[in-house]
Amino acid sequence: MKFIITILATSLLIFSCGDKSNESSKSTGNGTGNQSTGTATAAGGTTAGGASGTSGAAGSTAGATASGGTGSTSAGTGTTGSTAGGTGTSKPPENTKFSKGPYGIGVKDILGEWTVATLDGDFEFKKHFDGSESYFFVMYAGTHNYSKALWGSSFANFIKATPKNVRLFLLSYNSTFKKDLEDQKKRFLNDIKSLDQKTQDHFKERVHFVVEDARKIKGALGDVIRKRPGLFFGLDRNQRIRELGSLSYMNSPPAFQWMAKEAEFFNFEIEREKKLNTKAKIVKAMDNFIHKGGWGSTHSSTFDVELPAKNDIEKYDTLLVDFDMSCEDHLDKNCPDWDHTARLFLCRKDDEKKCDLEVARWITTYKREGRWVTDISPVLALFGEGGKRKFRYTSPNKNSLVLNFRFSNEGKGMRPVAFQEIFKGGSFNQEYNKKQKQLTFKNDGSFKKVETYAILTGHGWGKDVDNCAEFCNHVHFITLNSKEKFMREHKIAGQTYGCMNQVNNGVVPNQYGTWILGRGGWCPGMDVLPWREDLTKALVSGENTLDYKALFKGTDYTPVPHPNANKQGLNASISLNSYLIFWK
């Protein structure tokens, strides 16, 4: 569905999984500095308290005494811990997780060192950052209506929606910056009274009120703000500057709580990286390839890929496709506007002009970048004996593309060796199922597994009463030997938050369009997850039959024209390519 909203503010973000604090505050004179679960008191001097780590990460404690003051320490609860203590000039251990660079101030650059003064004392970035928390920065511009609305939005709603390992820094561009932040802290403390005490205490340590003119902040943070004087941005767990997308949805006012979805997404990114097999053989298919897009001759790009040779490819039982779609300077404003289908086809070995074997599919974002890693292991059967093969990529969007195949052996004891093309889609109406013919295949007992592999999405909206097939729950059935039925349905289709609730599965959040709405088999800014069904246990010896049909509300779909049909709408259709995959 095509709908876009205007970019109203520059944005960036960071996120982390697990609840880990490594926080300190300085106190000069007869003050008290609180640090996570540790405290430090100094008389006539400055003392830093200890740091604590949770969620199975390393924890450390440090204490110091200066100028007659006393320092207290708190122990971390991670799997490993170290303690440093002393008097006079003793220093806490260096944060070895802080990146050594190279640093920059552009989007996706690593951010260097900075320190800011807050209402609770100085905050030193290098001392705190350890890759476990997200950092958000919101700058207040009193003459900007969007900024006013964001600044006045609910802290409680943000806290209820966000992972706990988030830090929020509030700053002001105004000459009245100190009063702005004092007033904002009062509002924050009042707003979170509805939350339980434990949650209040947790976020009191993680919402920071910066009492410096945002334009005059020193260090790397100030450099970023001066280069890109927007209203919000952040850092991810890899210490990289990141955009946050749109913090408002359609015509609704902006709100802090939309940052929570970015935090959730960065958590997903970290977990995704952990699961990747570092020993996988990586074959580059596209390396910063500029796909021109459009609807004419540049809609398709063809390219050759040198797959592993026969003796090598036969070692692998697993195949992932790692696809990165980026925009100039990694800026949202330079990304294509619409959500479109992007598809990868393998050209036939006996006729390279016929590139119709679809192996993977994605739906692009509304004006944001994206990266997706998809398990397409059954496609190993299509790759056959490997070697040089031609591929075709199609999309109307212009992007810089990186596409890698990741081959690995995960000890499955078998691998895909052969395939048979089966069912295809088409216009979704009362004729759809009539066009689907029964197929047969033989089981000679030599295969360890036989499965179906289908790439399936529903499209069409605004033409019929049921808004099919983008926003309706079309249900698909594969029947083996007229007995065993395998089903794929799309329960989130048409649900208001259907796709928003898929951020933890890879949906790019905070897009500039109707990204939150559930779709029939896809979401904007996500890979299309293949529909796979294992038929092995239900096979019979010799000839087997397969039937396929798609229903809506238990029957063949008969579109009922909408009395106020959208002139830009599309008729219902099912985009389907499917295969039988044989494993040995």
Side-chain angles (χ1 to χ4, degrees):
M1 182 177 183
K2 298 183 178 181
F3 202 109
I4 189 166
I5 54 180
T6 305
I7 300 178
L8 296 175
T10 303
S11 64
L12 302 137
L13 157 82
I14 164 176
F15 165 80
S16 124
C17 70
D19 172 14
K20 182 168 181 179
S21 66
N22 187 20
E23 180 178 4
S24 68
S25 61
K26 294 182 180 179
S27 174
T28 304
N30 294 315
T32 300
N34 293 321
Q35 176 177 1
S36 188
T37 55
T39 60
T41 304
T46 301
T47 304
S52 68
T54 61
S55 297
S60 64
T61 63
T65 303
S67 302
T70 60
S72 64
T73 68
S74 65
T77 58
T79 55
T80 61
S82 62
T83 303
T87 60
T89 58
S90 295
K91 296 181 180 180
E94 181 182 357
N95 179 7
T96 58
K97 293 185 179 180
F98 191 86
S99 175
K100 296 181 180 179
Y103 304 126
I105 56 175
V107 178
K108 292 194 175 178
D109 285 345
I110 297 172
L111 188 66
E113 298 181 38
W114 51 271
T115 300
V116 292
T118 78
L119 289 174
D120 298 308
D122 286 357
F123 184 95
E124 184 181 346
F125 179 48
K126 185 176 181 179
K127 185 175 182 179
H128 291 76
F129 186 84
D130 62 1
S132 71
E133 293 181 316
S134 5
Y135 283 44
F136 297 85
F137 302 86
V138 177
M139 283 72 70
Y140 179 50
T143 59
H144 196 296
N145 289 334
Y146 187 97
S147 179
K148 287 181 180 178
L150 179 61
W151 194 256
S153 63
S154 171
F155 286 104
N157 287 345
F158 165 66
I159 289 171
K160 285 186 282 188
T162 191
K164 289 185 177 180
N165 51 333
V166 168
R167 290 185 184 272
L168 172 60
F169 293 79
L170 299 167
L171 307 91
S172 173
Y173 288 126
N174 302 328
S175 59
T176 56
F177 60 86
K178 186 175 182 181
K179 185 177 186 304
D180 292 342
L181 274 301
E182 289 173 341
D183 291 345
Q184 187 72 321
K185 184 173 184 179
K186 291 177 183 177
R187 193 177 72 83
F188 163 74
L189 293 174
N190 185 63
D191 195 18
I192 66 172
K193 286 181 180 179
S194 60
L195 306 176
D196 64 82
Q197 192 60 50
K198 184 177 180 180
T199 300
Q200 289 186 48
D201 293 343
H202 179 85
F203 280 96
K204 283 177 183 177
E205 295 182 352
R206 286 165 177 80
V207 178
H208 306 278
F209 303 85
V210 180
V211 285
E212 296 184 45
D213 185 334
R215 294 183 178 87
K216 298 179 180 179
I217 289 173
K218 297 180 180 179
L221 178 61
D223 292 340
V224 173
I225 294 173
R226 283 184 288 276
K227 179 183 178 182
R228 303 184 68 238
L231 299 179
F232 45 89
F233 70 94
L235 304 174
D236 65 20
R237 285 177 63 180
N238 292 313
Q239 206 172 317
R240 298 181 305 165
I241 301 166
R242 296 291 292 266
E243 290 203 306
L244 298 183
S246 174
L247 298 189
S248 60
Y249 180 71
M250 307 307 290
N251 295 320
S252 64
F256 291 136
Q257 69 190 73
W258 288 103
M259 291 188 290
K261 302 313 293 184
E262 287 286 341
E264 187 178 334
F265 181 68
F266 283 107
N267 189 32
F268 164 80
E269 285 191 321
I270 292 296
E271 293 304 312
R272 176 181 64 194
E273 205 65 27
K274 288 179 181 178
K275 294 175 183 177
L276 293 180
N277 187 334
T278 56
K279 297 181 180 180
K281 180 180 181 64
I282 298 175
V283 174
K284 287 188 176 294
M286 291 190 280
D287 190 6
N288 293 311
F289 178 85
I290 303 299
H291 175 71
K292 295 181 180 179
W295 295 103
S297 60
T298 56
H299 180 76
S300 297
S301 294
T302 57
F303 49 93
D304 293 325
V305 179
E306 192 66 42
L307 299 174
K310 182 178 185 297
N311 292 339
D312 193 11
I313 202 169
E314 289 178 349
K315 300 175 184 177
Y316 304 118
D317 59 19
T318 300
L319 174 64
L320 307 182
V321 59
D322 187 341
F323 185 47
D324 189 300
M325 182 180 289
S326 63
C327 308
E328 185 179 355
D329 296 326
H330 301 296
L331 298 177
D332 289 349
K333 69 178 184 179
N334 295 331
C335 291
D337 292 340
W338 304 114
D339 60 328
H340 283 302
T341 303
R343 306 168 78 176
L344 181 66
F345 295 89
L346 174 67
C347 303
R348 295 179 184 265
K349 196 167 186 178
D350 57 353
D351 183 1
E352 289 192 340
K353 293 182 180 180
K354 193 174 183 181
C355 303
D356 60 349
L357 297 174
E358 188 172 13
V359 297
R361 188 184 301 176
W362 306 265
I363 307 297
T364 66
T365 65
Y366 290 100
K367 216 166 178 60
R368 297 208 72 188
E369 295 187 328
R371 180 193 171 199
W372 306 275
V373 180
T374 316
D375 187 341
I376 59 169
S377 295
V379 170
L380 283 168
L382 281 70
F383 284 1
E385 296 182 354
K388 188 176 181 179
R389 297 296 299 270
K390 187 177 291 293
F391 289 81
R392 178 167 66 99
Y393 172 81
T394 66
S395 172
N397 283 356
K398 179 181 179 180
N399 289 100
S400 176
L401 308 175
V402 175
L403 192 149
N404 294 324
F405 292 119
R406 302 177 64 94
F407 295 84
S408 63
N409 190 313
E410 304 298 333
K412 296 175 182 176
M414 55 182 169
R415 64 180 305 276
V417 296
F419 73 96
Q420 178 180 333
E421 295 173 70
I422 47 177
F423 307 106
K424 294 186 179 294
S427 296
F428 190 43
N429 52 35
Q430 59 270 34
E431 301 298 318
Y432 183 83
N433 290 324
K434 295 178 183 178
K435 297 178 181 179
Q436 307 298 337
K437 305 302 180 183
Q438 186 179 78
L439 301 175
T440 62
F441 66 97
K442 288 186 177 181
N443 172 29
D444 62 5
S446 65
F447 299 108
K448 291 185 177 181
K449 183 169 81 169
V450 179
E451 70 170 318
T452 57
Y453 178 84
I455 302 174
L456 166 69
T457 52
H459 304 274
W461 61 277
K463 287 293 188 181
D464 57 65
V465 171
D466 295 302
N467 219 12
C468 283
E470 181 171 340
F471 295 107
C472 73
N473 182 14
H474 40 95
V475 183
H476 301 257
F477 297 89
I478 289 177
T479 304
L480 177 64
N481 297 324
S482 302
K483 294 180 180 180
E484 297 294 332
K485 289 187 177 181
F486 303 87
M487 181 183 73
R488 164 64 72 92
E489 59 181 336
H490 305 100
K491 290 184 177 180
I492 71 168
Q495 293 184 8
T496 302
Y497 303 110
C499 284
M500 187 181 79
N501 292 334
Q502 299 301 312
V503 168
N504 61 349
N505 291 322
V507 169
V508 176
N510 296 350
Q511 299 172 44
Y512 300 87
T514 58
W515 71 277
I516 72 171
L517 305 178
R519 266 72 169 192
W522 58 275
C523 286
M526 188 179 180
D527 50 341
V528 175
L529 302 179
W531 174 26
R532 297 172 61 178
E533 296 289 357
D534 188 347
L535 311 181
T536 312
K537 292 182 180 180
L539 294 174
V540 297
S541 180
E543 188 173 277
N544 289 257
T545 63
L546 270 186
D547 292 279
Y548 160 73
K549 63 182 178 181
L551 305 177
F552 177 67
K553 295 183 177 179
T555 188
D556 290 352
Y557 182 58
T558 301
V560 177
H562 198 288
N564 299 309
N566 192 310
K567 293 181 180 179
Q568 294 182 326
L570 300 171
N571 291 322
S573 65
I574 301 295
S575 181
L576 168 67
N577 280 302
S578 59
Y579 311 90
L580 265 179
I581 304 294
F582 302 89
W583 294 64
K584 278 189 176 181

